[in-house]
Amino acid sequence: MYETLCGRLSHLNLCVTNAMREDLAENWGIKAVTVYDKPASFFKETPLDLQHQLFMKLSRTYSAFRACSEPSDSGMERSAFTERDAQSGTVTCLPGRPALLVSSTSWTEDEDFSILLAALEKFEQLIDDGESLPPLVCVITGKGPLKEYYSRLICQKHFQHIQVCTPWLEAEDYPLLLGSADLGVCLHRSSSGLDLPMKVVDMFGCCLPVCAVNFQCLHELVKHEENGLVFEDSEELAAQLQMLFSKFPDPAGKLNQFCKNLRESEQLRWDESWKRTVLPLITDT
């Protein structure tokens, strides 16, 4: 009631999607301007040396980030993904490294993580059947009421080629992780169908392609086959993982093409977007 009254009396209303703008006009009689959420400036691709530092830090707590074998040269420092020459400081990606898949969540009913777990089981079966696919490290970050429930489900899985960990990251490490990953997965379904997942905005800021579960206005953010893929169920997600990680890492593959598209797109940051989009509206009001 307050929103209806104040929205009609205000000089300027902002909303986060065109779908929300149309809903406000049709059902509330409120005129609004769409201002899309943008990532903060610290969401960006992570340089390889910082990736290695992050992986080594996380390896002290989470086994998924630890190297499968120690380097023969004592002057080398190794994580599951990278290797650093202590003498020269040069960091390289390990050949045959796992692919790094990241999803973030508040562990609520808005996100059905059984979809991802079922897709991972299908991915595991594809590897067992001889498909040319990499092992996966799946990192699911966040806290929330359903975390314990899904953690029990994860523990019941007996993956041989997939490792799943559910860390709570320090604030400064989360952007570094997104900027180091190979693929993001979003399972958020908007309860209203009128807003967009901020986690995908942040992933795109890091030039991280995304597979996202479909809902009403998602197309305003995720452009299917351009900056990521949209799926309806676990079967479709599994097929997308198979396609994206086939012959990984493939410089000519779809995954790298999505990364290139994100780099080449005009991605305004939050402060710049505010100055360009909102300040002129306030000035004119």
Side-chain angles (χ1 to χ4, degrees):
M1 188 170 63
Y2 283 123
E3 290 174 333
T4 303
L5 175 62
C6 295
R8 289 171 179 166
L9 295 177
S10 63
H11 293 98
L12 175 65
N13 297 298
L14 305 178
C15 62
V16 294
T17 63
N18 288 331
M20 185 179 291
R21 185 192 68 204
E22 293 165 4
D23 182 78
L24 288 171
E26 181 178 346
N27 298 316
W28 298 46
I30 292 174
K31 292 183 179 180
V33 176
T34 302
V35 180
Y36 288 113
D37 280 321
K38 299 294 180 182
S41 57
F42 48 78
F43 284 99
K44 56 189 177 183
E45 291 183 87
T46 305
L48 194 56
D49 59 334
L50 293 183
Q51 289 186 33
H52 180 73
Q53 289 180 29
L54 175 67
F55 296 151
M56 293 305 298
K57 176 181 178 179
L58 293 175
S59 71
R60 293 194 286 270
T61 307
Y62 305 103
S63 60
F65 290 90
R66 294 175 197 150
C68 294
S69 60
E70 291 298 321
S72 55
D73 185 345
S74 60
M76 303 296 287
E77 181 183 64
R78 182 180 292 174
S79 73
F81 305 91
T82 53
E83 191 171 60
R84 179 180 178 273
D85 186 319
Q87 187 171 357
S88 66
T90 302
V91 177
T92 56
C93 288
L94 285 176
R97 72 172 179 87
L100 179 55
L101 185 151
V102 174
S103 186
S104 57
T105 179
S106 51
W107 296 108
T108 65
E109 292 181 358
D110 283 345
E111 295 170 283
D112 183 1
F113 267 83
S114 63
I115 295 174
L116 176 58
L117 295 180
L120 292 178
E121 286 185 299
K122 293 177 177 67
F123 190 88
E124 170 103 349
Q125 186 60 54
L126 288 168
I127 297 177
D128 288 339
D129 291 342
E131 290 286 331
S132 179
L133 296 167
L136 280 184
V137 171
C138 178
V139 181
I140 308 172
T141 70
K143 287 183 178 179
L146 293 179
K147 182 174 182 177
E148 189 173 332
Y149 167 76
Y150 280 110
S151 294
R152 286 197 300 269
L153 286 184
I154 291 167
C155 289
Q156 292 169 13
K157 308 297 179 184
H158 299 288
F159 294 128
Q160 299 299 313
H161 309 286
I162 298 171
Q163 296 184 76
V164 181
C165 63
T166 57
W168 173 251
L169 297 175
E170 296 176 16
E172 62 270 21
D173 288 340
Y174 178 62
L176 294 176
L177 179 66
L178 293 189
S180 305
D182 299 299
L183 179 67
V185 171
C186 176
L187 295 160
H188 174 81
R189 292 184 189 269
S190 168
S191 55
S192 68
L194 301 174
D195 60 348
L196 296 169
M198 193 65 204
K199 68 193 74 181
V200 175
V201 174
D202 294 337
M203 287 174 181
F204 283 170
C206 296
C207 295
L208 178 62
V210 170
C211 290
V213 68
N214 196 22
F215 62 87
Q216 179 181 335
C217 66
L218 185 66
H219 64 277
E220 294 188 42
L221 177 61
V222 181
K223 313 298 183 186
H224 187 66
E225 293 284 356
E226 183 179 324
N227 56 18
L229 298 171
V230 174
F231 62 88
E232 299 289 346
D233 52 32
S234 61
E235 291 281 348
E236 196 168 4
L237 176 57
Q240 291 174 358
L241 295 179
Q242 179 185 8
M243 182 267 290
L244 291 173
F245 289 126
S246 178
K247 301 177 182 177
F248 175 87
D250 181 4
K254 183 78 77 173
L255 201 56
N256 273 343
Q257 184 59 54
F258 289 159
C259 290
K260 183 181 177 183
N261 292 346
L262 285 165
R263 292 186 193 109
E264 292 176 351
S265 64
E266 184 187 9
Q267 292 200 71
L268 294 179
R269 300 297 159 161
W270 172 252
D271 50 356
E272 189 178 355
S273 174
W274 181 269
K275 290 175 185 176
R276 287 195 193 183
T277 310
V278 181
L279 280 185
L281 296 173
I282 296 174
T283 303
D284 294 340
T285 301

